[in-house]
Amino acid sequence: MKKLMLGNEAVARGLYEAGCSFVSSYPGTPSTEITEYAAKYNEIYAEWAPNEKVALETAFGASLAGKRSFCGMKHVGVNVAADPLFTVAYTGVNGGLIIGVADDPGMHSSQNEQDSRHYAIASKIPMLEPSDSAESIAFVKEAFEISEKFDTPIFIKMCTRVAHSQSVIEESDRLEIAQKEYVKNGEKYIMMPGNAKKRHPIVEKRTLDLIAYAETAWFNRIEEGNDNTVGIITSSTSYQYVKEVFGDKYPVLKLGMINPLPVNKIKDFAKTVKNVIVVEELDGIIETHCKNIGVNVLGKEIFGNIGEFSQNLVAEKLGVEAPKGKALSENVPMRPPVMCAGCPHRGLFYTLKKNKLTVMGDIGCYTLGAVAPLTAIDSTICMGASVSSIHGFNKANDGATDKNTVAVIGDSTFMHSGVTGLINIAYNGSNSTVIILDNSITGMTGHQQNPTTGYNLKGDPASKIDLEALCRSVGINSVRVVDPYNLAECDAVIKEELQKDEPSVIISRRPCALLKYVKHAGPIKVNTDKCIGCKSCMRIGCPAVSIIDGKVKIDNTLCTGCGVCAQMCKFDVFENVKEA
Amino acid sequence: MQTKNIMIVGVGGQGTLLASKLLGRILLSKGYDVKVSEVHGMSQRGGSVVTYVRYGDKVYSPVIDKGEADFIVSFEMLEAARWVEYLKQGGKMITNTQQVNPMPVIIGACEYPAELEAKIKNLGVDLDAFDALSLAEAAGNSKAVNIVLMGKLSKYFDFTEDEWLDAIEKSVPAKFLELNKKAFALGREA
């Protein structure tokens, strides 16, 4: 039966059908749903690891144990997992091992636009790149076959438009795969210099074997065209845009495996056409390969290496007139994402801004604390960077910034890679203040459990990290907990901790307002007779609060009754702030 | 059949994903090739969101580009104004007249543009603007705006009411079924 299926769900379906029985991942847009859907199959053990390095090492362990295994992450997650990555490339696998990575061209929800195909080349690991949901299923099945046949981990590379588009698929039954026996083999699995030196030539030979395989494999296919003045080489979602614009006009070499790339197949294709154009998002990976093997192609000089493509972009770049619409002549105000009404981060960020603090930021919903009117963040780099960078900042300033600088980091991000930075603060002794924004969930990626929440991926009760005890145990003696809905308390505690001549951790604790179990007081009531329109309540940037015709107005469809706005008001306009 | 394009635009949290799920389901049941492209992650936090639904004999691209949409269904007036450029010449735009102020307007950095309905019509756009929020509230829940709008859109398709209701039944939780059926009927009559 035909079904519409999200690309990421299709990857999970592929895992199921291919007999995969072990998944360990860390959430990250646009990769998260692969693991969430995989967890719905009883035949697959699935877990959220604290970070991508742990996830990949865990999945490698399961592969070593003889099971078909998977590890999923977003593009920047591969940076975290890069350490084991480059060495599991040497050891190879026992049960098949797939690393799922999702790139985000256009940066819909990411801090950079890195092209993870570079990792496949650098680590010498093959990479398959599906262009829709049906291919996502088929390529995952193929990937396990390649992984086991060539004794290599393998990438499945998604991008936002493949991961988050639904297209038509047909389901098949699960292949039952027996667990392989684990046999001790130090020369293969103990990567100390003597053994690694023997493995490296095996890896190079494997790449040559994979190139030979790529020459004739079904997933690198030529689609005939009726105009041979141009031939197009493409892959992933770019293939869809090319076909949308040109249909069957030009011959297309559609590549399913992006590393290693075939040589003769490309040379032969180029001979059948007059000009070869490579259409690929981000960097010129296919283009560089073509030029390296002596095939003259056009690519990045036409398309550039920034942002997402679309059918109109491909059309215009290749001289085809694209449809145009009619826009309003006036500017339409932007609608940037904002912290939700009732978000516990709001009160805390207002307090940071009010105290004019320098704030080292991190990755999560709270990055929105950088947006007006809160504008309370100075830097955002990557997972965990807030805690590490405040230490360097304060050390370099010889204590001059200790009393006006904080780091902010969410509970899941702190577990991912913040705790190591905190260990450094305690060990190397900077007088830094770290605020853990504990909203009891991984928020931005859509509510995933983590080691601080007390539940695992399958929703069962799990060991729950005691954040206060953890911080004390690494050597932080001053650990305080505040309620971010209480502005006076936040203000007092932050001031006290900044003044102390020792490192501190402040845990700002309130569950995410979108969690189903969180009960809200209900929309706050206002007495507009008392409102003078001073706009004090607007300084917290709540989407539920507006001033209309000089009086405050509450959007009852959004307001949760958190009462933070009421604490901004000097005229008792807000009434009935009650506990839920 | 040439590929047809429907865009669903709104504000993160308004329920645009459910509307696209419903459309995808009914179009697939009619035997079309279908693609639906969504936005997850940061933009969902109260930002401008868009979902693309495409159907036909063979659909390639998962997205809709400027000047390509046969229908745009907008959950909010400013979003209608933002995305109108994606409408095809002769396309149809359906919008909820609700205004949701974006943060730059809330903090006074700019104003919510006046008379957007008239300005969009002045572009020569075939615009059907109506108060879907009141109809959703009349059906029992302001969150049913998505199904009210689907009711309105359904008038422009020759699928039967039963086919739509069947798709709704498969797309919403059982306890909200009656509410959503009512919301659909109110939108279809509006």
Side-chain angles (χ1 to χ4, degrees):
Chain A
M1 195 187 85
K2 287 185 173 178
K3 272 176 90 168
L4 261 187
M5 193 176 271
L6 196 68
N8 279 346
E9 184 180 359
V11 172
R13 181 73 205 178
L15 294 173
Y16 169 78
E17 292 180 7
C20 173
S21 51
F22 195 98
V23 171
S24 182
S25 304
Y26 186 79
T29 311
S31 72
T32 311
E33 300 83 3
I34 299 172
T35 300
E36 291 184 316
Y37 280 109
K40 292 183 197 290
Y41 294 106
N42 289 329
E43 294 85 347
I44 300 178
Y45 168 81
E47 64 176 31
W48 290 126
N51 67 34
E52 295 85 353
K53 172 176 147 69
V54 174
L56 177 52
E57 290 157 351
T58 301
F60 169 73
S63 159
L64 201 61
K67 287 196 167 174
R68 287 193 162 183
S69 305
F70 175 86
C71 171
M73 62 196 69
K74 69 182 293 176
H75 60 333
V76 288
V78 189
N79 304 334
V80 180
D83 196 358
L85 181 74
F86 281 72
T87 305
V88 296
Y90 276 34
T91 64
V93 303
N94 187 24
L97 174 60
I98 296 179
I99 301 147
V101 53
D103 282 12
D104 190 15
M107 291 178 277
H108 296 272
S109 199
S110 300
Q111 68 269 37
N112 74 31
E113 205 169 21
Q114 75 186 42
D115 188 331
S116 56
R117 295 178 300 170
H118 289 293
Y119 269 111
I121 296 167
S123 64
K124 302 169 194 288
I125 291 177
M127 175 180 268
L128 298 182
E129 196 175 37
S131 68
D132 61 18
S133 297
E135 279 193 353
S136 296
I137 295 177
F139 282 22
V140 165
K141 292 169 152 179
E142 174 71 31
F144 275 124
E145 297 299 323
I146 293 174
S147 174
E148 290 173 359
K149 183 177 175 196
F150 292 89
D151 191 10
T152 178
I154 183 167
F155 279 111
I156 288 282
K157 191 219 133 191
M158 306 292 278
C159 66
T160 301
R161 293 301 176 189
V162 179
H164 287 166
S165 293
Q166 300 174 47
S167 57
V168 180
I169 61 104
E170 288 192 65
E171 295 178 343
S172 311
D173 292 336
R174 177 175 167 90
L175 196 65
E176 286 307 332
I177 300 286
Q179 182 171 359
K180 289 187 175 177
E181 189 190 353
Y182 166 67
V183 180
K184 274 185 189 292
N185 185 349
E187 289 197 347
K188 178 162 154 52
Y189 294 123
I190 305 170
M191 283 304 96
M192 55 204 290
N195 291 337
K197 280 178 190 169
K198 288 178 199 149
R199 290 299 300 179
H200 189 183
I202 294 172
V203 172
E204 298 302 330
K205 168 75 168 43
R206 181 177 76 201
T207 298
L208 295 177
D209 293 345
L210 281 162
I211 292 171
Y213 182 68
E215 300 290 2
T216 56
W218 59 273
F219 43 72
N220 292 331
R221 68 170 188 265
I222 290 169
E223 296 180 6
E224 302 298 333
N226 38 43
D227 179 348
N228 281 24
T229 54
V230 170
I232 294 174
I233 305 179
T234 186
S235 72
S236 185
T237 191
S238 299
Y239 161 79
Q240 306 290 358
Y241 304 139
V242 165
K243 294 297 281 189
E244 182 77 30
V245 174
F246 295 110
D248 297 330
K249 185 179 182 189
Y250 298 131
V252 170
L253 171 53
K254 197 272 188 191
L255 296 168
M257 183 152 77
I258 217 68
N259 187 61
L261 287 162
V263 175
N264 292 331
K265 187 150 204 148
I266 290 174
K267 284 182 176 172
D268 292 346
F269 175 74
K271 281 178 201 153
T272 64
V273 296
K274 202 167 166 201
N275 300 293
V276 182
I277 295 172
V278 176
V279 185
E280 57 184 324
E281 286 182 327
L282 301 182
D283 296 335
I285 302 281
I286 301 169
E287 178 182 350
T288 304
H289 170 77
C290 290
K291 287 176 174 168
N292 284 346
I293 61 171
V295 174
N296 191 24
V297 300
L298 289 172
K300 289 297 146 188
E301 63 264 64
I302 302 174
F303 291 100
N305 57 1
I306 297 171
E308 268 195 306
F309 291 178
S310 67
Q311 52 266 40
N312 279 8
L313 181 138
V314 169
E316 280 163 8
K317 295 287 185 188
L318 296 179
V320 177
E321 196 183 351
K324 284 188 176 52
K326 287 182 187 163
L328 290 192
S329 53
E330 69 184 293
N331 277 338
V332 177
M334 298 278 287
R335 189 186 300 277
V338 293
M339 286 179 189
C340 307
C343 176
H345 300 323
R346 179 171 287 106
L348 195 278
F349 276 97
Y350 172 73
T351 308
L352 301 182
K353 165 145 181 168
K354 190 181 122 191
N355 285 290
K356 299 188 174 69
L357 301 179
T358 301
V359 178
M360 302 299 167
D362 223 296
I363 304 291
C365 285
Y366 47 92
T367 312
L368 294 170
V371 178
L374 293 168
T375 52
I377 290 180
D378 287 73
S379 75
T380 298
I381 307 295
C382 66
M383 299 285 284
S386 61
V387 189
S388 319
S389 62
I390 190 177
H391 174 72
F393 191 76
N394 284 343
K395 277 280 184 186
N397 284 321
D398 282 332
T401 50
D402 291 3
K403 291 178 171 42
N404 63 10
T405 307
V406 298
V408 292
I409 184 165
D411 47 304
S412 184
T413 312
F414 183 72
M415 283 295 108
H416 178 282
S417 46
V419 66
T420 40
L422 191 67
I423 291 168
N424 195 38
I425 286 173
Y427 171 56
N428 284 310
S430 69
N431 181 11
S432 298
T433 301
V434 174
I435 301 175
I436 302 175
L437 305 163
D438 178 10
N439 65 350
S440 306
I441 203 73
T442 313
M444 179 59 89
T445 45
H447 287 175
Q448 288 73 37
Q449 303 296 341
N450 69 56
T452 70
T453 66
Y455 293 92
N456 65 22
L457 169 56
K458 297 259 185 183
D460 298 323
S463 169
K464 181 173 158 59
I465 288 271
D466 180 337
L467 277 176
E468 292 92 314
L470 175 64
C471 294
R472 286 194 189 98
S473 73
V474 305
I476 307 295
N477 296 316
S478 186
V479 180
R480 307 275 296 273
V481 178
V482 297
D483 177 359
Y485 278 0
N486 185 334
L487 295 182
E489 181 191 27
C490 286
D491 191 63
V493 170
I494 289 169
K495 280 182 172 136
E496 282 168 30
E497 293 307 312
L498 281 168
Q499 287 311 311
K500 285 183 182 168
D501 288 321
E502 61 174 330
S504 333
V505 168
I506 300 167
I507 299 168
S508 171
R509 182 168 284 151
R510 262 275 167 190
C512 172
L514 298 183
L515 283 167
K516 287 205 170 73
Y517 69 80
V518 173
K519 297 279 176 275
H520 296 296
I524 199 163
K525 302 272 193 306
V526 288
N527 181 348
T528 46
D529 292 344
K530 293 183 181 173
C531 181
I532 63 159
C534 72
K535 297 187 177 175
S536 288
C537 55
M538 304 294 292
R539 296 209 299 263
I540 55 170
C542 178
V545 184
S546 319
I547 301 281
I548 292 176
D549 299 330
K551 299 283 186 187
V552 67
K553 183 160 190 316
I554 301 296
D555 183 337
N556 287 337
T557 64
L558 293 177
C559 181
T560 66
C562 75
V564 172
C565 53
Q567 297 167 58
M568 303 295 295
C569 182
K570 295 190 177 72
F571 300 95
D572 292 331
V573 173
F574 298 87
E575 297 175 348
N576 302 326
V577 181
K578 55 179 185 284
E579 282 295 308
Chain B
M1 182 194 121
Q2 211 190 342
T3 301
K4 293 271 188 190
N5 300 314
I6 308 170
M7 278 172 75
I8 303 166
V9 304
V11 179
Q14 279 190 308
T16 52
L17 286 182
L18 177 68
S20 63
K21 189 171 159 186
L22 178 69
L23 274 176
R25 198 181 289 277
I26 194 163
L27 292 166
L28 187 70
S29 75
K30 302 302 284 187
Y32 294 112
D33 187 24
V34 182
K35 283 191 178 170
V36 178
S37 188
E38 312 169 347
V39 174
H40 299 220
M42 184 174 262
S43 332
Q44 279 183 300
R45 302 277 172 261
S48 170
V49 293
V50 56
T51 304
Y52 309 103
V53 179
R54 311 192 71 216
Y55 66 102
D57 295 335
K58 172 68 187 166
V59 179
Y60 288 107
S61 170
V63 299
I64 298 168
D65 223 321
K66 287 176 184 170
E68 285 192 332
D70 296 277
F71 291 94
I72 296 180
V73 180
S74 173
F75 283 53
E76 199 270 348
M77 220 44 239
L78 188 67
E79 296 311 308
R82 187 186 317 286
W83 296 99
V84 68
E85 197 180 356
Y86 283 71
L87 199 65
K88 180 184 274 182
Q89 192 96 32
K92 173 92 191 173
M93 182 173 237
I94 294 166
T95 188
N96 179 13
T97 50
Q98 189 186 353
Q99 289 192 10
V100 179
N101 285 339
M103 196 48 67
V105 170
I106 288 178
I107 64 173
C110 57
E111 291 200 350
Y112 196 103
E115 294 171 5
L116 285 174
E117 211 177 307
K119 287 171 185 168
I120 293 171
K121 279 184 178 158
N122 282 344
L123 294 174
V125 168
D126 178 6
L127 179 69
D128 187 347
F130 73 113
D131 182 357
L133 179 62
S134 294
L135 295 180
E137 283 165 350
N141 193 324
S142 59
K143 289 194 162 54
V145 161
N146 48 12
I147 302 297
V148 172
L149 285 164
M150 287 301 103
K152 185 68 144 180
L153 181 70
S154 73
K155 293 201 297 187
Y156 300 96
F157 287 78
D158 53 8
F159 308 147
T160 68
E161 186 154 353
D162 280 347
E163 287 168 336
W164 283 98
L165 292 176
D166 182 56
I168 290 173
E169 198 169 331
K170 286 173 178 154
S171 306
V172 306
K175 61 178 174 176
F176 297 122
L177 182 59
E178 282 315 306
L179 186 153
N180 280 302
K181 278 184 171 173
K182 201 171 164 192
F184 182 82
L186 288 171
R188 201 168 160 91
E189 288 157 18

